[in-house]
Amino acid sequence: MAKLIYSAIASLDGYIEDEDGNFDWAAPDEEVHAFINDLERPVGTYLYGRRMYETMVGWETDPTLAEHSPLMRDFAEIWRAADKIVYSSTLETVSTASTRIERDFDPESVRQIKAQSGRDITVSGPDLAAHAWRAGLVDECQLFVAPIVVGGGKRSLPNDVRVRLELLEERRFEGGMLYLHYHTRA
Ligand SMILES: NC(=O)c1ccc[n+]([C@@H]2O[C@H](COP(=O)([O-])OP(=O)(O)OC[C@H]3O[C@@H](n4cnc5c(N)ncnc54)[C@H](OP(=O)(O)O)[C@@H]3O)[C@@H](O)[C@H]2O)c1
């Protein structure tokens, strides 16, 4: 059975974007980018909230992104190769391949995707991921903590969920980011 993994880059005080909607402070440096590429490489399907999809879509629609560096080219190729499911009540069409829209987050259908998929699945965009947390569908959490306190914004984790975690792995990067990898306990 495939694992469902929540992944995010957050500030030390737990926000994925600040009150102005900025998250430039979360941009991975080369060392973190290379690490993220290797984390994403085996993932078969991305579950996205509409806002996160709109942030990521450029990896396929904007060829100049991949031209920045070999690491970014690698990431663009990894991203294009994965299947995507975008959750949205408003999006009418998608502009990327291997992408479908779901109008509702149905926990049972996500359970079936997990059961049938040979490769792991990630869920991102905290609004969408909150549904997966509440339904007990998240198996692992891959959290990057950026060395900054932003004081407010969009929380990376829902505030109405309580889950015990087991720390599987941690890593410190030269630029000050910290990677924390947790398994959720039953
Ligand atoms: N820290 C970082 O490294 C980083 C990286 C990338 C992006 N970001 C930020 O993160 C933001 C995305 O996170 P987010 O939590 O704001 O948004 P999100 O979860 O990606 O998207 C929210 C949208 O998803 C749809 N959705 C959520 N739950 C749904 C459900 N149960 N059924 C159907 N549709 C559902 C809705 O779309 P509709 O409104 O269309 O119905 C909702 O408005 C980006 O906008 C960006 O600012 C941060």
Side-chain angles (χ1 to χ4, degrees):
M1 177 144 131
K3 288 177 291 191
L4 183 67
I5 301 164
Y6 173 63
S7 60
I9 304 177
S11 62
L12 177 61
D13 49 347
Y15 298 99
I16 55 104
E17 66 179 20
D18 61 29
E19 277 175 346
D20 298 322
N22 292 325
F23 54 95
D24 49 352
W25 42 266
D29 64 15
E30 290 218 333
E31 187 189 13
V32 175
H33 215 308
F35 186 84
I36 289 174
N37 287 7
D38 289 340
L39 284 182
E40 301 268 320
R41 211 176 301 280
V43 173
T45 307
Y46 304 144
L47 309 187
Y48 281 134
R50 193 251 312 155
R51 291 189 70 213
M52 185 58 82
Y53 174 71
E54 287 173 347
T55 306
M56 300 300 286
V57 76
W59 289 103
E60 185 163 322
T61 58
D62 179 0
T64 63
L65 272 184
E67 285 163 13
H68 283 296
S69 70
L71 276 172
M72 289 173 83
R73 177 176 305 281
D74 185 31
F75 185 82
E77 284 168 8
I78 294 165
W79 197 85
R80 280 179 215 159
D83 292 330
K84 292 112 191 155
I85 303 175
V86 186
Y87 291 82
S88 171
S89 61
T90 61
L91 202 62
E92 293 189 352
T93 54
V94 289
S95 42
T96 53
S98 309
T99 308
R100 67 182 166 89
I101 300 172
E102 284 284 343
R103 296 296 177 203
D104 292 303
F105 185 88
D106 173 30
E108 194 43 48
S109 71
V110 176
R111 247 174 230 115
Q112 281 172 21
I113 296 169
K114 283 173 68 171
Q116 288 160 8
S117 176
R119 300 173 70 190
D120 286 343
I121 301 156
T122 57
V123 58
S124 56
D127 268 2
L128 177 73
H131 296 279
W133 281 105
R134 286 188 202 112
L137 287 166
V138 178
D139 303 292
E140 293 189 5
C141 177
Q142 296 174 339
L143 192 65
F144 289 84
V145 180
I148 187 169
V149 171
V150 298
K154 164 87 57 163
R155 287 174 49 83
S156 67
L157 290 163
N159 59 10
D160 54 354
V161 166
R162 185 182 174 103
V163 186
R164 289 182 62 80
L165 303 166
E166 179 189 353
L167 182 64
L168 298 176
E169 183 188 3
E170 76 278 352
R171 176 154 166 179
R172 176 193 167 136
F173 295 91
E174 285 301 313
M177 273 211 200
L178 195 62
Y179 170 68
L180 301 167
H181 181 193
Y182 295 99
H183 181 74
T184 56
R185 289 186 181 172

